């Protein structure tokens, strides 16, 4: 596996809000410190799980500043959008605030052709000296980044150094690692972490890592030293968490915030269009947490 500049386990951190729905920077700092103490090598703020689409530019910057001040581990900023000029502005702000890197999602909703996707990423990367992690999540963006475009970006743009892969396609990831030269591949879907490790991933940018960071660390370490059986066993322990974190009734940010309340970390509710988690989610969170601790004992 290639070197990990940001570590093996990173959480795409939820954004805490207070009772009035305002950004809660104090809660963000408490959560960041808790994550750093519980298995996370790095954090990504204002990404999808952080409800970036509901944050103002000022809130993104305030969140990055607060979290960066609270921890010593790397903090990446989700500064991508479907507007290239806007993404450039956000990325420059992240650099000025001392981010350890930026996460750039491919343009969503307007679904540009591959030439537009490539030009977008090249323009944003050229506007910063920060290392860039690309994010390919076609279920959200509406269009997958092609193999050829990724090969060119990862091979030709010096500060594009990593890919968060949420395509659910390990064979394609293996081909990309073979064709694009050394880069850092991160699983962008917790459930695909072990399969992607098998083809050369260095870690995960996760969601269940909010409460299972130690288990992901143990699984990745076991796989790295060749103990595949133990890695499989840990992956099986994680299955209830993987099922819990996203359902038809409670998607990622909603479920994570319910779990964090179970752990004594009040990060508020989500902003609309994400509603409060439905009845029963909190009890299910308690069951999942208790089961994970029992299985990991």
């Amino acid at each position: 596996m290639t070197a990990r500049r940001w570590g093996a386990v990173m959480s795409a951190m939820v954004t805490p809000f207070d009772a009035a729905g305002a950004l809660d920077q104090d809660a963000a700092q408490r959560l960041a410190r808790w994550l750093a103490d519980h298995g996370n090598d790095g954090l990504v703020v204002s990404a999808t799980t952080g409800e970036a689409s509901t944050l103002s530019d000022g809130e993104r910057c305030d969140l990055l500043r607060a979290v960066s001040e609270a921890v010593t581990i790397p903090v990446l900023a989700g500064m991508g959008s479907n507007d290239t000029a806007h993404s450039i502005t956000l990325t420059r702000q992240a650099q000025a605030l001392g981010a350890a890197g930026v996460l750039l999602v491919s343009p969503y909703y307007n679904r540009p052709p591959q030439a537009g996707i490539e030009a977008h990423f090249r323009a944003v990367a050229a506007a910063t000296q920060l290392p860039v992690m690309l994010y390919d999540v076609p279920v959200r963006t509406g269009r997958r980044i092609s193999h050829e475009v990724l090969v060119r970006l990862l091979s030709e743009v010096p500060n594009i150094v990593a890919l968060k892969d949420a395509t659910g396609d390990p064979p394609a990831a293996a081909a990309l690692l073979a064709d694009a030269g050394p880069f850092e591949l991160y699983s962008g879907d917790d459930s695909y972490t072990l399969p992607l490790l098998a083809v050369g991933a260095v870690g995960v940018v996760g969601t269940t890592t909010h409460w299972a960071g130690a288990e992901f660390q143990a699984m990745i370490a076991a796989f790295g030293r060749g103990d595949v059986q133990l890695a499989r066993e840990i992956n099986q322990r994680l299955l209830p968490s993987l099922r819990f974190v996203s359902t038809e009734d409670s998607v990622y940010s909603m479920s994570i915030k319910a779990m964090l309340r179970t752990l004594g970390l009040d990060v508020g509710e989500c902003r609309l269009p994400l509603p409060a988690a439905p009845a029963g989610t909190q009890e299910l969170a308690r069951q999942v947490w208790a089961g994970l601790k029992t299985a990991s004992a």
Side-chain angles (χ1 to χ4, degrees):
M1 295 189 291
T2 59
R4 310 178 184 114
R5 75 187 63 221
W6 298 304
V9 177
M10 306 174 72
S11 282
M13 198 180 98
V14 295
T15 300
F17 300 120
D18 64 21
L23 175 65
D24 190 335
Q25 296 183 53
D26 291 339
Q29 291 187 320
R30 289 192 295 271
L31 174 60
R33 287 190 289 265
W34 193 93
L35 292 171
D37 289 340
H38 291 81
N40 281 267
D41 301 311
L43 301 171
V44 181
V45 297
S46 67
T48 307
T49 308
E51 301 177 70
S53 60
T54 72
L55 298 177
S56 69
D57 290 359
E59 287 175 324
R60 290 193 192 208
C61 291
D62 289 342
L63 179 63
L64 173 59
R65 184 186 299 107
V67 171
S68 297
E69 290 174 353
V71 296
T72 58
I73 60 175
V75 180
L76 278 67
M79 293 302 190
S81 76
N82 62 344
D83 174 352
T84 304
H86 187 212
S87 297
I88 288 172
T89 297
L90 290 171
T91 297
R92 286 174 172 162
Q93 291 172 342
Q95 178 171 311
L97 290 168
V102 289
L103 176 74
L104 298 180
V105 68
S106 56
Y108 44 84
Y109 187 71
N110 41 20
R111 299 183 75 245
Q114 294 298 323
I117 294 172
E118 182 172 358
H120 171 86
F121 283 134
R122 286 182 181 272
V124 181
T128 184
Q129 297 174 342
L130 292 175
V132 172
M133 180 188 293
L134 303 182
Y135 183 19
D136 193 6
V137 55
V139 70
R140 293 185 181 274
T141 64
R143 196 183 297 282
R144 187 167 175 172
I145 309 171
S146 76
H147 176 86
E148 294 75 18
V149 166
L150 284 171
V151 168
R152 286 195 294 270
L153 291 171
L154 289 162
S155 302
E156 298 173 6
V157 183
N159 61 328
I160 295 181
V161 299
L163 172 67
K164 179 183 176 184
D165 185 341
T167 64
D169 190 350
L176 185 63
L177 283 163
D179 293 346
F183 68 92
E184 296 162 38
L185 176 68
Y186 284 85
S187 174
D189 182 329
D190 297 17
S191 63
Y192 276 88
T193 302
L194 185 55
L196 286 175
L197 289 174
V199 302
V202 301
V204 58
V205 178
T207 53
T208 60
T209 49
H210 279 78
W211 64 89
E215 286 75 16
F216 275 92
Q217 288 282 7
M219 181 175 71
I220 293 167
F223 187 88
R225 64 176 180 266
D227 193 344
V228 177
Q229 181 58 40
L230 178 57
R232 289 173 178 165
E233 292 173 2
I234 297 170
N235 188 66
Q236 289 173 358
R237 296 176 206 161
L238 289 167
L239 293 178
S241 290
L242 299 174
R243 289 191 290 266
F244 165 77
V245 77
S246 184
T247 68
E248 287 297 315
D249 298 316
S250 183
V251 300
Y252 297 94
S253 304
M254 300 160 62
S255 301
I256 293 166
K257 288 187 173 185
M259 179 63 79
L260 291 174
R261 286 192 290 272
T262 294
L263 303 181
L265 295 162
D266 187 0
V267 292
E269 297 288 358
C270 296
R271 284 177 172 171
L272 288 174
L274 296 182
T281 306
Q282 201 70 53
E283 176 57 31
L284 182 56
R286 285 190 285 270
Q287 294 172 14
V288 169
W289 173 248
L292 180 63
K293 293 298 100 180
T294 299
S296 300

